[in-house]
Amino acid sequence: SAVISQKPSRDICQRGTSLTIQCQVDSQVTMMFWYRQQPGQSLTLIATANQGSEATYESGFVIDKFPISRPNLTFSTLTVSNMSPEDSSIYLCSVLDSYEQYFGPGTRLTVT
Amino acid sequence: AQSVTQLDSHVSVSEGTPVLLRCNYSSSYSPSLFWYVQHPNKGLQLLLKYTSAATLVKGINGFEAEFKKSETSFHLTKPSAHMSDAAEYFCVVSPYSEGGKLIFGQGTELSVKP
């Protein structure tokens, strides 16, 4: 099974700033995904990030706000740009590996 | 459009009694369905999955779920609740045509009383 790590595990940021979240997988995977879990809510897919192509964003999410990089098959970053308190959430990276989907531990972001 | 509806936002049971968490899905095709569990301040863990094989799916920690196409349901059950089962449970559908993308239900919080 794929093991996923995320950095940072949590952060407190000021509004108007940006934070880049890193996702590292211990095996090569084609498909990586970024999800958001707002306080008390379920998970919502932000975008799909496949190596070698532009990320595909879900409705309501745009590249200017959530730029994603996928430089290789084991790593991805999600940046939350120009943050506002509404961006306070847990951000989770996940991967599809051998038809199973695995999730990272999440990054808990608080915007003040 | 694919979707899942978890019928209860919160379920409370006593330790040792059965657990039933209800989930209905909407899908144009035969979907892949999952149950995930999220313990407080922990990551998501896959409990079980249905991918068009046996309709009764057994998962980890004594949980199982039955896929009922006629009722478009995928309810999660456990014969006897344990205190450690207290967590948030998510019913999830993976659209047939969008490999890997997951659509989460709103979640059911399970409380277990001693």
Side-chain angles (χ1 to χ4, degrees), chain A residues 10 31 33 35 37 41-43 45 58 90 92 96 98-105 108, chain B residues 6 34 36 38 41-44 46 49 88 90 98-107:
Chain A
R10 59 176 63 226
M31 302 186 76
F33 307 87
Y35 287 84
Q37 186 176 25
Q41 303 292 317
S42 185
L43 280 78
L45 181 63
E58 297 299 307
I90 299 173
L92 297 103
L96 186 64
S98 300
Y99 304 103
E100 295 269 351
Q101 188 145 141
Y102 300 92
F103 285 83
R108 185 180 294 272
Chain B
Q6 293 184 243
F34 310 81
Y36 281 85
Q38 186 178 42
N41 298 314
K42 298 282 183 65
L44 278 164
L46 178 65
K49 64 178 180 179
E88 188 84 16
F90 294 99
E98 300 180 68
K101 175 181 173 178
L102 298 181
I103 298 172
F104 282 73
Q106 287 304 302

Side-chain angles (χ1 to χ4, degrees), chain A residues 40-96:
Chain A
Q41 303 292 317
S42 185
L43 280 78
T44 302
L45 181 63
I46 297 172
T48 301
N50 293 334
Q51 197 267 336
S53 63
E54 295 289 324
T56 302
Y57 290 83
E58 297 299 307
S59 176
F61 298 96
V62 295
I63 188 172
D64 290 345
K65 176 68 175 176
F66 297 101
I68 289 171
S69 77
R70 182 78 200 276
N72 57 51
L73 292 173
T74 64
F75 187 78
S76 178
T77 66
L78 169 76
T79 299
V80 185
S81 303
N82 188 26
M83 288 184 286
S84 67
E86 291 70 38
D87 294 320
S88 297
S89 298
I90 299 173
Y91 292 86
L92 297 103
C93 168
S94 78
V95 304
L96 186 64

Side-chain angles (χ1 to χ4, degrees), chain A residues 1-7 22-27 29 31-34 74 92-97 100-106:
Chain A
S1 63
V3 177
I4 304 169
S5 59
Q6 288 185 233
K7 290 182 182 179
Q22 299 179 7
C23 176
Q24 180 75 52
V25 190
D26 69 343
S27 59
V29 293
M31 302 186 76
M32 296 182 76
F33 307 87
W34 286 97
T74 64
L92 297 103
C93 168
S94 78
V95 304
L96 186 64
D97 183 31
E100 295 269 351
Q101 188 145 141
Y102 300 92
F103 285 83

Side-chain angles (χ1 to χ4, degrees), chain B residues 5-8 19-25 33 35 48 55-57 63-68 71-78 91:
Chain B
T5 302
Q6 293 184 243
L7 301 175
D8 307 290
V19 174
L20 170 63
L21 305 183
R22 299 182 295 165
C23 173
N24 287 348
Y25 70 91
L33 292 160
W35 277 97
L48 51 82
T55 56
L56 182 62
V57 183
F63 285 94
E64 62 182 37
E66 186 172 7
F67 174 74
K68 291 187 177 181
E71 300 176 9
T72 61
S73 68
F74 191 58
H75 301 335
L76 182 71
T77 60
K78 183 174 181 178
C91 182

